[in-house]
Amino acid sequence: MSPSVREVGTSFQYRAATQAGALVNGVLRAASRDAALRELRRQQLWPVTVEVVVPRARPNVRTVFGAAARRRAVTQWTRTVATLLDAGTTLDRALGVAHAQCLDVHVGTAAQAVRAAVQGGASLADSMQRQPALFGALHVGVVRAGEASGSLPTALETLAGYMEEDAALRAQVASALLYPALMATVASLGIMVLLLFVVPRFSTLLSDLGGTLPMSTRVLVAVGDLVTRGWWVLALAAGCAVVAARALLASPVNRQAWHARRLMFPLTGVVERTLATARITRALGLMLQGGLALLPALRVARSGVSNVALAMELERATADVARGRSLAASLSGVLTPMAVQLIGVGEESGRLDRLCLKAATLHDEEVRRTLRTVASLLEPGLILVFGAIVGFVALAMLQAIYAVNAGI
């Protein structure tokens, strides 16, 4: 391999075995994956894994708002490939049509790379694994199971259904919380207008008139002065709090402790565990339905868990299953009791995949019902809170006016 190729090539992270049998890790640059494999063999290394190094971009406004569009594009790509394969189209043609229909630039680039890798002789699962920014462990696991069992169209169809269900749940969560968030924002802006413009002028007028002000008015004036003159103190305190929180959560131990504590919260903890249970059981059901063994399916399901403490509990449960313990007993305390019961019935009846998917559906509905209830309670709660604040401001002003008139 020439030096110029190394300079302009792609970075590959590899794990390889030496002639002595030791495993080594490293990064090299090559024009393609095949070129990277040849370079490793030239160095007398036997490659175990060779993956493209994907740089992690810092999240910004564009990437945050573009994440939903990319998820939709990946879902459409998956659905298109599944439909064409089910109709009898070749994989190459299905990938070509799906790539042509991609409206998102990043997904289109990844789809083109997947098709090129498949044309080069790689399996669809391996080709998708080389695009980790868009295709996670669940995607790769489902596709790999479908390829191994000869039911790739069914596996992709099931995966597309899972992604559509997940997108529908995300949309319902957002819609349930949109109106309370909008109402809270408008009410907060109204209160800020009172504190920034109305209260300072009222305070100046009262100071010119003199006299003793009621306690409520003095509290209101002090809050107004803090907002108008001490805003930088509030901003500095908020910034320090954010920096301190990020520094604490940078430690894996602290992050795990915080995630564990988060699961113990009365309402949000229940919702988070229920939502995680739905995703774990759905991923597990898909894996088993596609023909994947139980242990690999559990490891793939674990990769989709964002809560660190819950992921560690799931990892311990996977180790228990590997030692011969039943799945239901291993997941007791990790998932909800209902999910554990359904998994136990599934193990006894030989329908573990179906009952895992049933558990996922039930927990999705539970999350939706809980969010609808919370949203219905938040609206009158916010009205009462902000009404009380506005009422306090009006009362403080009226008491001050009465006190001044009495003094005159």
Side-chain angles (χ1 to χ4, degrees), residues 69-260:
R70 290 181 190 176
R71 283 194 296 268
R72 288 194 298 269
V74 172
T75 303
Q76 181 184 7
W77 179 88
T78 307
R79 176 68 69 184
T80 302
V81 175
T83 303
L84 292 176
L85 288 178
D86 189 55
T89 308
T90 62
L91 179 58
D92 180 65
R93 184 177 179 183
L95 292 175
V97 174
H99 167 249
Q101 292 182 353
C102 283
L103 300 179
D104 188 273
V105 176
H106 296 84
V107 178
T109 303
Q112 185 177 11
V114 167
R115 187 187 183 193
V118 170
Q119 290 174 340
S123 66
L124 180 59
D126 290 337
S127 304
M128 295 171 64
Q129 192 174 16
R130 299 175 191 177
Q131 307 296 329
L134 295 177
F135 302 108
L138 178 62
H139 300 76
V140 176
V142 171
V143 172
R144 195 180 302 281
E147 288 179 319
S149 61
S151 57
L152 182 58
T154 304
L156 287 171
E157 187 77 19
T158 306
L159 178 60
Y162 167 81
M163 297 170 69
E164 289 166 355
E165 285 286 337
D166 187 65
L169 183 60
R170 289 174 183 267
Q172 289 190 3
V173 170
S175 62
L177 300 179
L178 177 61
Y179 180 71
L182 181 62
M183 188 168 60
T185 301
V186 172
S188 300
L189 289 176
I191 293 173
M192 290 301 296
V193 169
L194 286 175
L195 293 177
L196 290 174
F197 300 102
V198 178
V199 173
R201 295 182 181 181
F202 186 70
S203 175
T204 302
L205 177 62
L206 292 178
S207 62
D208 292 340
L209 293 176
T212 303
L213 298 178
M215 177 61 68
S216 60
T217 307
R218 292 199 298 270
V219 171
L220 179 63
V221 171
V223 173
D225 290 340
L226 179 62
V227 173
T228 54
R229 301 175 185 176
W231 61 267
W232 61 272
V233 177
L234 299 176
L236 181 61
C240 291
V242 171
V243 172
R246 290 176 64 91
L248 286 174
L249 294 179
S251 169
V253 176
N254 293 335
R255 185 163 61 251
Q256 182 178 349
W258 161 243
H259 285 192

Side-chain angles (χ1 to χ4, degrees), residues 265-349:
F265 291 167
L267 179 62
T268 58
V270 174
V271 172
E272 185 174 4
R273 188 179 291 275
T274 304
L275 185 58
T277 298
R279 289 179 173 173
I280 291 170
T281 51
R282 176 167 284 112
L284 188 58
L286 289 176
M287 298 288 101
L288 297 175
Q289 200 173 62
L292 200 64
L294 180 57
L295 285 176
L298 278 172
R299 295 188 182 100
V300 172
R302 177 192 176 279
S303 64
V305 179
S306 58
N307 188 289
V308 178
L310 200 58
M312 295 299 294
E313 293 178 6
L314 190 58
E315 185 174 349
R316 286 193 292 270
T318 305
D320 290 341
V321 173
R323 287 192 292 266
R325 195 180 183 190
S326 68
L327 179 62
S330 301
L331 292 177
S332 179
V334 181
L335 306 183
T336 64
M338 178 185 292
V340 173
Q341 291 295 327
L342 288 173
I343 289 173
V345 174
E347 286 183 301
E348 295 173 0
S349 62

Side-chain angles (χ1 to χ4, degrees), residues 359-378:
T361 302
L362 291 176
H363 285 79
D364 278 345
E365 290 298 328
E366 181 65 24
V367 170
R368 293 187 179 100
R369 284 194 299 268
T370 303
L371 289 175
R372 284 195 295 266
T373 303
V374 170
S376 64
L377 294 176
L378 274 178

